């Protein structure tokens, strides 16, 4: 039999999806449902003078207009409690909710929401991070000092418009710069990127006997539970969250969106309330990838060793802190990244601005932090006249690399193997040689999210296995391929006989959400823990049925057999059936979270992500051609070498690599949200927000390396998030090579390419 | 105002006012929620259905302009016995479905393409779906599915 782990099996959720039967969050609706729409601020900064809902309340179908007066007076947030449900005195970003209208139909709710008149006195706008950290900048939050951190967090350095600051300052940085032969200094900038999942955000709230139920299509149901309960001032267990099929999230559906509003409005009206964002509303209010400014300086020795580094990052938090309080930790892990650097100084700040709060998008700030790091690495190689790949190999990590947090990476020497592996796909010297062509290379060290998860296995008398887990299947296949195949392998079953569940926070144990490539690694491992107990029970029961000792038995083709005796076998269904009246149904549970990792808490201040768990290693290479007339860029070849520990589903892994690279190409070349001086987004629809289409994306060539890790199921580490991380870096380096000019911004526009072409070769 | 049309082979008459789109009629009146609404701007292609065999963005098509037409949605792709169409089966076999929210729209566009050109070239497939966005897959497996469904060699 084909082993369940390491082979490609059909996704069980593909058929309902191709038939149009799958019920997504936007499709879910139960009897008696009312519909709601939010009234949102049309300015980025101002003081609310009045809210007039008389006309709206009189419109057909309208049941309720709710404002801050109808909501608990609570500020809440992911890590910092700085955000109200509805603005009542000041508005801090365009799109901030001010009121909500509930009506019989969605069309009525939206029409009435548009008829609510909000009078706002404009206030000065902090539009950019540069504005936010300028001397005398207006404060986005006058009361920042009074804000409490969310439960379970130590406070961290924050001041004025800086809602989070992380600092690492190793001994001897200035001395190392003074002793360096060459110093190179660069500045890079990145725009925001919209996740642009195809299913807009939605939620349905219900209120029954003092408890809220929220129907969601979301990445992290336990986060909705916590965040909704905190916003509404109830216990987490007073909120039940039930998951449905979801049309993509990519990080944007990790924090709450419409869920607390739908829940509140259900309580206020006594009916289920459903909300769906319109696309433009979704885009303008989405917690997109933050833009940032990165200033990086390195000292080099003549022979091409990096001897000193300074890495300064300002990230745009938007109007509320959200995820960025965590994301300021990422520069600490990227500042040296794949290379040994000598004494290093890092300062990362998240800055409040009067813009939509930013948040997580696959690869988070790593995408632009690596763009800056690897563009800079090219400049370092050029400064000492070395080949860019050779320079990297000269400085690449060895085993036992100590990160800036004091954590030691046992396996960091793998990076060198990954560099060699990508070269086997196409030798570096052969690429980018044609006219107007260039080649780029970049490496990445990325993590596997450590948050815990759990699974309960149920063996059924019909011979099937149900994996009851709160892990969310967001489309990657992490649950329906990864977790399911691991469960099948553990019980010697055909994956076709294994099913997985949808999240329901009343039913399953905590799950840390579909983020940071954690699901296959963490929940897969929880399944292997659960399987230990299940096998024990199965063998005991089967031993009775077969008249053999448990230690003579083995799992075989969805059954249990006596080792070395092909004739003596019972099916797992028979075992489960017999157990039913001999001890009860066969179930077994397991939990897992990455064990605590050793690090030195004195190395950094403000570091909320204190360690970098279960690292993975990546090298990407791209060959591009630029059009000297239009500045257009064609990606001719794209190569990926990725260390995954162990592949569970080859097809699932390839889907994540191809899809992640496509998102990275969009980020590198086309997708942008620009922000005007008024704090408003310039791109407001999918027409102006240019997403990659089929014609843009080459077939990615992949080599997978497998060095199993003890902690992962079958050795698997995280794999799905990182394929996006180095893409902008690689493309930037390839375009710089093709044009000979500096490439310093994401996205790299045709104008940037044409400007770069005006530079003389060698000044890049 | 009454609107009569044929949907997946069945004659239907529904109430629809002048501002209603075909998508609203399909999803809200006929409860055919297999057709997805991704943008309501004619940009994403998730709402693609066939009107008299031609792929259209149903989110920006006035419902009444489909009066008397044959409309086919994703729910109408399988045959009466429930057997999947070749392109549906190929999407399953080639891992062309991740989140699946774009899938119904792609299936409709590609059903029309294959009806017109039974053995389309890769570049032509990519061009044909330039009005359909997929954020998950990076598109190659979708192209693979068309190759497989039309009996051509799959590049992978
Ligand atoms: S919903 Fe019709 S094109 Fe997007
Ligand atoms: S599979 Fe998710 S958008 Fe295409």
């Amino acid at each position: 039999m084909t082993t369940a782990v390491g082979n490609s099996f059909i996704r069980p959720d593909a058929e309902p999806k191709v038939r149009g039967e799958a019920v997504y969050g936007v499709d879910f609706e139960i009897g008696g449902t009312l519909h709601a729409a939010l009234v949102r601020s049309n300015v980025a900064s101002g003081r609310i003078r009045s809210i007039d809902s008389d006309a709206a309340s009189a419109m057909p179908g309208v049941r309720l207009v709710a404002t801050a007066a109808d909501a608990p007076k609570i500020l809440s947030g992911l890590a910092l409690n700085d955000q109200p449900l509805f603005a009542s005195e000041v508005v801090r970003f365009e799109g901030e909710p001010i009121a909500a209208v509930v009506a019989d139909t969605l069309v009525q709710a939206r029409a009435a929401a548009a008829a609510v008149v909000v009078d706002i006195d404009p206030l000065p706008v902090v539009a950019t991070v540069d504005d936010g950290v300028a001397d005398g900048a207006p404060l986005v939050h006058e009361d920042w000092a009074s804000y409490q951190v969310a439960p379970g967090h130590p406070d961290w350095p924050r001041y004025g418009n800086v809602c989070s600051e992380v600092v690492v300052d190793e001994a001897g940085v200035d001395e190392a710069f003074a002793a360096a032969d060459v110093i190179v200094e660069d500045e890079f900038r990145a725009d925001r990127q919209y996740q642009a999942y195809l299913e807009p955000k939605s939620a349905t709230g219900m209120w029954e006997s003092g408890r809220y139920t929220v129907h969601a299509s979301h990445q992290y149901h336990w986060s909705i539970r916590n965040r909704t309960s905190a916003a509404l001032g109830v216990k987490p267990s007073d909120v039940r969250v039930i998951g449905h099929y979801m049309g993509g999230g990519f990080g944007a559906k990790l924090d709450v969106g419409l869920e607390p509003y739908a829940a509140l409005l259900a309580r206020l009206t006594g009916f289920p309330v459903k909300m769906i964002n319109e696309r433009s509303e979704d885009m303008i209010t989405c917690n997109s990838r933050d833009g940032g400014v990165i200033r990086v300086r390195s000292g080099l020795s003549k022979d091409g060793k990096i001897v000193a580094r300074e890495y300064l990052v300002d990230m745009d938090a938007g109007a509320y802190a959200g995820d960025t309080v965590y994301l300021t930790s990422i520069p600490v892990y990227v500042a040296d990244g794949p290379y040994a650097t000598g004494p290093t100084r890092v300062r990362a700040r998240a800055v409040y601005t009067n813009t939509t709060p930013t948040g997580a998008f696959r690869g988070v700030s790593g995408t632009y932090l690596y763009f800056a790091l690897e563009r800079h690495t090219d400049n370092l190689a050029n400064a000492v006249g070395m080949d860019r790949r050779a320079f990297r190999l000269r400085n690449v990590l060895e085993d036992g690399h100590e990160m800036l947090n004091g954590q030691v990476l046992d396996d960091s020497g793998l990076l060198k193997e990954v560099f060699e592996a990508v070269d086997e796909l196409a030798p570096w010297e052969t690429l980018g040689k044609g006219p107007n062509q260039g080649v780029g290379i970049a490496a990445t060290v990325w993590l596997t999210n450590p948050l815990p998860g759990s699974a309960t296995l149920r063996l059924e008398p019909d011979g099937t296995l149900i994996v009851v887990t709160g892990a969310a299947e967001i489309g990657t296949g992490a649950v329906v391929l990864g977790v399911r195949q691991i469960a099948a392998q553990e019980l010697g079953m055909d994956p076709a006989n294994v099913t997985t569940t949808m999240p329901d926070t009343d039913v399953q144990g905590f799950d840390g959400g579909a983020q940071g490539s954690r699901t296959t690694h963490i929940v897969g491992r929880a399944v292997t823990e659960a399987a230990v107990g299940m096998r024990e029970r199965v063998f005991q029961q089967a031993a009775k049925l077969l008249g053999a000792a448990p230690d003579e038995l083995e799992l075989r083709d969805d059954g249990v057999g006596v080792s070395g005796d092909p004739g003596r076998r019972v099916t797992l269904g028979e075992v489960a059936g017999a157990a039913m009246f001999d001890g009860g149904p066969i179930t077994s549970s397991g939990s897992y979270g990455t064990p605590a990792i050793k690090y030195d808490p004195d190395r950094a201040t403000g570091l909320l992500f204190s360690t970098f768990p279960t690292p993975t290693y990546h090298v990407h290479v791209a060959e591009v051609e630029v059009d000297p007339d239009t500045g257009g860029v064609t990606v001719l070849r794209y190569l990926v070498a990725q260390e995954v520990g162990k592949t569970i589903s080859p097809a699932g892994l390839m889907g994540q690599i191809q899809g992640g690279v496509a998102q990275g190409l969009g980020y590198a070349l086309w997708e942008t949200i620009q922000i005007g001086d008024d704090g408003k987004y310039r791109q407001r629809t999918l027409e102006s927000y240019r997403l990659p289409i089929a014609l843009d994306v080459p077939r990615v060539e992949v080599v997978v390396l497998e060095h199993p890790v003890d902690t992962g199921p079958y050795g698997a580490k995280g794999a799905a998030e990182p394929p996006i991380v180095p893409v902008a870096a690689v493309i930037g380096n390839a375009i710089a090579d093709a044009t000979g000019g500096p490439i310093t911004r994401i996205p790299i526009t045709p104008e940037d390419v044409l400007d770069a072409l005006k530079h003389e070769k060698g000044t890049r | 105002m009454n609107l009569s049309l044929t949907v997946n082979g069945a004659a239907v008459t529904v109430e629809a006012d002048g501002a209603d789109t075909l998508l609203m009629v399909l999803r809200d009146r006929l409860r055919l929620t297999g057709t997805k609404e991704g943008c309501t701007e004619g940009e994403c292609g998730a709402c693609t259905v066939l009107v008299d065999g031609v792929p259209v963005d149903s989110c920006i098509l006035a419902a009444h302009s489909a009066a008397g037409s044959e409309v086919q949605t994703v729910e109408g792709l399988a045959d009466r016995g429930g057997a999947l169409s070749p392109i549906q089966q190929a999407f399953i076999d080639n891992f062309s479905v991740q989140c699946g929210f774009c899938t119904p729209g792609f299936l409709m566009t590609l059903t029309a393409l294959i009806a017109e050109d039974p053995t389309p070239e890769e570049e032509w497939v990519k061009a044909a779906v330039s009005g359909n966005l997929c954020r998950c897959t990076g598109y190659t497996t979708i192209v693979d599915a068309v190759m497989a469904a039309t009996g051509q060699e799959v590049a992978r």
Side-chain angles (χ1 to χ4, degrees):
Chain A
M1 187 177 103
T2 322
T3 56
V5 161
N7 289 291
S8 296
F9 292 85
I10 292 304
R11 298 175 65 118
D13 61 347
E15 182 167 335
K17 288 173 177 176
V18 301
R19 287 186 186 276
E21 294 167 345
V23 175
Y24 291 76
V26 293
D27 302 324
F28 174 78
E29 202 163 307
I30 53 170
T33 294
L34 300 178
H35 300 266
L38 291 172
V39 179
R40 295 174 178 277
S41 175
N42 60 6
V43 298
S45 178
R47 195 166 294 280
I48 298 175
R49 284 161 59 118
S50 64
I51 303 169
D52 180 355
S53 59
D54 290 352
S57 300
M59 286 172 70
V62 173
R63 302 285 187 118
L64 175 80
V65 180
T67 65
D70 303 291
K73 310 264 163 300
I74 291 174
L75 297 179
S76 62
L78 206 56
L80 185 65
N81 293 334
D82 62 355
Q83 186 166 14
L85 272 183
F86 295 103
S88 56
E89 287 165 30
V90 294
V91 292
R92 297 190 175 91
F93 70 95
E94 189 205 8
E96 179 158 19
I98 295 172
V101 178
V102 185
D104 290 341
T105 71
L106 182 59
V107 172
Q108 289 169 339
R110 285 179 177 165
V116 174
V117 180
V118 184
D119 188 10
I120 301 177
D121 272 342
L123 289 171
V125 174
V126 177
T128 67
V129 290
D130 295 339
D131 293 350
V133 295
D135 284 344
L139 289 176
V140 176
H141 291 262
E142 294 280 354
D143 295 334
W144 67 268
S146 70
Y147 293 157
Q148 306 290 308
V149 300
H153 292 277
D155 210 337
W156 57 86
R158 51 193 177 90
Y159 49 91
N161 285 330
V162 175
C163 59
S164 164
E165 183 178 74
V166 174
V167 172
V168 172
D169 197 355
E170 294 192 315
V173 173
D174 295 325
E175 293 79 356
F177 271 109
D181 297 319
V182 184
I183 291 176
V184 178
E185 188 166 357
D186 288 307
E187 179 176 309
F188 301 96
R189 286 175 185 263
D191 287 350
R192 294 186 180 196
Q193 186 187 20
Y194 173 43
Q195 290 83 344
Y197 35 78
L198 264 274
E199 183 192 18
K201 290 184 182 179
S202 71
T204 295
M206 294 163 65
W207 169 255
E208 297 170 340
S209 315
R211 285 188 90 211
Y212 296 99
T213 299
V214 177
H215 290 268
S217 56
H218 201 268
Q219 295 176 243
Y220 190 178
H221 299 78
W222 273 262
S223 175
I224 301 181
R225 182 180 188 248
N226 283 336
R227 297 274 282 116
T228 299
S229 62
L232 299 179
V234 298
K235 297 195 301 294
S237 57
D238 287 337
V239 178
R240 175 184 186 182
V241 184
I242 299 175
H244 296 272
Y245 283 106
M246 77 177 302
F250 313 112
K253 297 173 185 169
L254 284 167
D255 198 2
V256 279
L258 297 171
E259 294 84 3
Y261 299 95
L264 173 70
L265 296 170
R267 178 166 68 74
L268 294 175
T269 58
F271 288 92
V273 172
K274 180 175 176 180
M275 305 177 77
I276 303 177
N277 272 344
E278 292 186 274
R279 178 55 71 175
S280 176
E281 175 185 29
D282 196 272
M283 181 171 168
I284 291 166
T285 62
C286 186
N287 42 340
S288 62
R289 189 194 309 284
D290 54 291
V293 184
I294 310 95
R295 298 177 179 93
V296 51
R297 186 163 70 101
S298 299
L300 291 168
S301 64
K302 277 195 292 290
D303 59 351
K305 277 278 189 191
I306 306 167
V307 297
R309 162 104 5 119
E310 184 174 73
Y311 196 76
L312 310 177
V313 184
D314 284 333
M315 311 166 61
D316 186 353
Y320 297 98
D323 289 294
T324 54
V325 173
Y326 293 103
L327 300 186
T328 40
S329 297
I330 304 292
V332 170
Y333 303 106
V334 179
D336 52 357
Y339 311 111
T341 51
T344 298
R345 175 182 295 138
V346 182
R347 186 197 64 205
R349 303 185 287 196
V351 182
Y352 280 136
T353 58
N354 287 118
T355 62
T356 305
T358 56
F361 184 163
R362 191 181 198 170
V364 292
S365 47
T367 50
Y368 65 75
L369 296 173
Y370 267 107
F371 171 78
L373 182 88
E374 285 288 34
R375 285 292 308 114
H376 181 66
T377 304
D378 265 19
N379 293 343
L380 298 181
N382 293 333
V384 290
M386 280 181 75
D387 171 75
R388 294 173 292 146
R389 181 171 182 275
F391 178 84
R392 285 174 166 82
L393 287 170
R394 174 133 178 77
N395 290 281
V396 73
L397 301 182
E398 306 280 348
D399 272 345
H401 170 66
E402 188 180 278
M403 302 185 97
L404 296 175
N405 65 343
Q407 176 186 343
V408 174
L409 303 181
D410 297 333
D411 60 357
S412 39
L414 285 177
L415 249 184
K416 211 175 294 175
E417 276 183 52
V418 185
F419 267 101
E420 282 154 17
V422 81
D423 216 50
E424 282 161 25
L425 288 172
W428 167 249
E429 309 75 46
T430 63
L431 295 168
K433 294 296 180 236
N436 300 310
Q437 292 184 1
V439 60
I441 188 167
T444 288
V445 183
W446 203 244
L447 75 162
T448 310
N449 182 300
L451 287 174
S454 64
T456 295
L457 303 177
R458 286 171 42 190
L459 190 62
E460 300 287 304
D462 65 2
T464 61
L465 182 78
I466 301 178
V467 184
V468 183
T469 173
E473 174 54 69
I474 63 167
T476 59
V479 175
V480 298
L481 298 175
V483 169
R484 181 167 141 271
Q485 288 178 218
I486 289 165
Q489 181 79 33
E490 286 289 308
L491 275 308
M493 297 178 71
D494 180 343
N497 295 325
V498 180
T499 51
T500 53
T501 55
M502 290 279 190
D504 180 337
T505 59
D506 267 13
V507 175
Q508 302 115 347
F510 174 88
D511 184 84
Q515 55 176 328
S517 314
R518 66 174 279 288
T519 301
T520 302
H521 175 75
I522 297 279
V523 183
R525 171 68 191 264
V527 165
T528 66
E529 299 292 330
V532 173
M534 174 157 281
R535 281 194 300 264
E536 200 171 306
R537 184 87 204 279
V538 163
F539 283 141
Q540 275 169 10
Q541 196 70 48
K544 291 187 198 172
L545 294 174
L546 291 165
D551 61 6
E552 292 176 84
L553 302 180
E554 64 184 12
L555 292 166
R556 193 154 85 201
D557 299 343
D558 292 70
V560 183
V562 179
S563 304
D565 186 349
R568 286 168 74 197
R569 177 180 169 274
V570 287
T571 65
L572 286 174
E574 287 164 343
V575 172
M580 198 60 88
F581 299 100
D582 185 10
I586 299 184
T587 67
S588 183
S589 297
S591 295
Y592 181 70
T594 304
I597 294 163
K598 223 171 120 231
Y599 75 107
D600 180 351
D602 297 329
R603 298 284 181 94
T605 54
L607 194 69
L608 265 65
F609 263 133
S610 52
T611 62
F612 206 69
T614 323
T616 58
Y617 304 96
H618 312 259
V619 178
H620 292 198
V621 170
E623 182 180 52
V624 305
E625 186 169 309
V626 300
D627 183 327
D629 298 321
T630 65
V633 175
T634 305
V635 182
L636 301 173
R637 290 184 77 176
Y638 199 96
L639 319 177
V640 170
Q642 178 164 345
E643 158 57 39
V644 300
K646 166 76 184 169
T647 306
I648 305 297
S649 163
L653 175 62
M654 291 302 281
Q656 290 311 295
I657 294 174
Q658 178 74 32
V661 170
Q663 288 176 347
L665 293 177
Y667 182 53
L669 293 170
W670 307 296
E671 297 177 39
T672 177
I673 293 170
Q674 292 158 320
I675 297 169
D677 293 341
D678 56 1
K680 294 187 175 187
Y681 282 10
R682 290 291 176 256
Q683 288 73 20
R684 305 176 73 85
T685 64
L686 290 184
E687 189 183 1
S688 52
Y689 190 82
R690 161 76 161 87
L691 288 161
I693 59 172
L695 288 164
D696 296 323
V697 185
R699 189 177 292 271
V700 177
E701 301 163 63
V702 181
V703 54
V704 174
L705 291 87
E706 295 187 312
H707 294 86
V709 65
D710 290 346
T711 50
Y714 299 89
K717 310 173 191 173
E721 179 179 38
I724 195 176
V725 175
V727 182
V730 174
I731 296 296
N733 286 347
I735 295 173
D737 183 45
T739 58
I743 295 294
T744 59
R745 296 193 326 173
I746 301 172
I748 305 156
T749 64
E751 295 74 48
D752 294 335
V753 173
L754 294 176
D755 281 350
L757 280 166
K758 290 183 196 137
H759 279 255
E760 273 179 54
K761 270 259 190 217
T763 59
R764 64 201 169 191
Chain B
M1 226 188 329
N2 274 349
L3 165 65
S4 295
L5 67 173
T6 304
V7 178
N8 298 330
V12 294
T13 298
V14 293
E15 204 28 50
D17 75 33
D20 288 352
T21 62
L22 178 59
L23 181 63
M24 291 164 90
V25 165
L26 293 172
R27 283 182 60 86
D28 301 341
R29 310 276 201 292
L30 299 174
R31 304 269 158 191
L32 292 170
T33 55
T35 304
K36 299 306 180 197
E37 181 166 7
C39 69
T40 335
E41 298 165 4
E43 289 295 329
C44 75
C47 64
T48 307
V49 300
L50 303 188
V51 176
D52 296 325
V54 177
V56 297
D57 290 334
S58 63
C59 70
I60 50 171
L61 187 77
H64 280 279
S65 68
S69 294
E70 296 255 0
V71 174
Q72 191 184 15
T73 71
V74 68
E75 289 93 343
L77 286 179
D79 71 16
R80 298 216 168 273
L84 296 172
S85 76
I87 188 68
Q88 282 178 305
Q89 187 61 50
F91 262 56
I92 296 174
D93 297 340
N94 290 276
F95 296 87
S96 320
V97 180
Q98 287 191 21
C99 82
F101 203 79
C102 70
T103 303
F106 273 94
L107 289 171
M108 301 319 293
T109 302
L110 293 169
T111 296
L113 171 74
I114 294 168
E116 197 180 282
D117 180 354
T119 53
E121 285 173 24
E122 269 207 34
E123 283 307 295
W124 180 230
V125 174
K126 291 184 188 173
V129 296
S130 56
N132 291 83
L133 296 174
C134 176
R135 191 54 150 168
C136 297
T137 63
Y139 300 103
T140 39
T141 53
I142 292 173
V143 175
D144 294 344
V146 180
M147 294 297 126
T150 56
Q152 304 185 81
E153 198 183 327
V154 179
R156 169 173 35 90

